[in-house]
Amino acid sequence: MKKTIIFNFHKSKGLVASLIRWQTRSQDVNHVSFTFEDNVTFESTLLLGARKIINRSQHDIIKRVEVELSGKDVENFRQYAESELNKGYDFKAIIGFLINKKLENPNALFCSEYAAKIGDYIEGFPKTNTLISPKEIMNQLIAFMSGKRYEAR
């Protein structure tokens, strides 16, 4: 039985959001979260790190991409998401992202690093490195769902 995960792409306000949009040359997307069919959303934020929210506010979501997977793949991705809860925000990786150099803290996550793990659960989806922007994840998912291939930078 197929199940759906919704990837939410956000245009948030603030200095860090602006820096992310500037570095990724994206005028519209600077954050990604993902929502399961039970309306539970997972994301990693600057102040709170990896967390889950029931009925997350929709005010800054500018695009949604629905990904249909087998129930087993969704369950496995959900287990991964749950296992990462309460990890801090990966400031080291976000700095590396801003200077285009791979830096990371394996015990912390930034939003697109958290969401990009979906590639491990979709057969044929390109595996990504941790230096992937929310916009690149959006483009990969849109291409994948339409049967095309998108290569991240």
Side-chain angles (χ1 to χ4, degrees):
M1 182 169 84
K2 295 283 186 180
K3 290 192 171 191
T4 302
I5 301 171
I6 300 170
F7 285 80
N8 310 295
F9 296 92
H10 306 257
K11 183 176 184 179
S12 306
K13 296 179 181 178
L15 179 61
V16 173
S18 296
L19 283 171
I20 292 168
R21 283 193 302 274
W22 171 77
Q23 171 60 17
T24 61
R25 293 159 187 77
S26 172
Q27 298 301 310
D28 50 359
V29 176
N30 65 279
H31 181 67
V32 58
S33 62
F34 47 94
T35 304
F36 291 89
E37 289 179 344
D38 61 357
N39 211 24
V40 174
T41 299
F42 291 79
E43 65 182 351
S44 185
T45 66
L46 182 66
L47 297 176
L48 301 170
R51 66 182 184 149
K52 74 177 175 181
I53 312 156
I54 298 169
N55 298 319
R56 185 193 193 283
S57 170
Q58 310 289 307
H59 76 280
D60 64 348
I61 296 173
I62 60 166
K63 176 90 176 158
R64 288 183 176 85
V65 178
E66 292 188 14
V67 178
E68 205 172 78
L69 299 171
S70 73
K72 182 70 172 161
D73 288 343
V74 169
E75 181 182 316
N76 289 338
F77 185 57
R78 175 75 176 252
Q79 287 175 354
Y80 156 75
E82 294 276 355
S83 75
E84 300 296 288
L85 286 175
N86 301 317
K87 278 192 173 182
Y89 190 78
D90 195 348
F91 290 100
K92 195 173 181 182
I94 202 72
I95 290 166
F97 193 87
L98 292 173
I99 63 173
N100 203 27
K101 183 177 179 186
K102 187 172 182 170
L103 301 172
E104 61 185 321
N105 175 351
N107 297 313
L109 299 163
F110 63 97
C111 68
S112 53
E113 186 177 17
Y114 200 16
K117 191 71 169 179
I118 189 66
D120 291 352
Y121 299 92
I122 300 177
E123 188 174 326
F125 191 81
K127 303 296 183 253
T128 59
N129 62 45
T130 57
L131 290 178
I132 186 167
S133 72
K135 180 88 172 198
E136 288 172 321
I137 293 172
M138 182 177 75
N139 290 338
Q140 280 187 339
L141 289 169
I142 290 169
F144 182 80
M145 295 311 292
S146 64
K148 299 177 184 168
R149 185 161 177 86
Y150 172 86
E151 289 297 329
R153 63 181 174 116

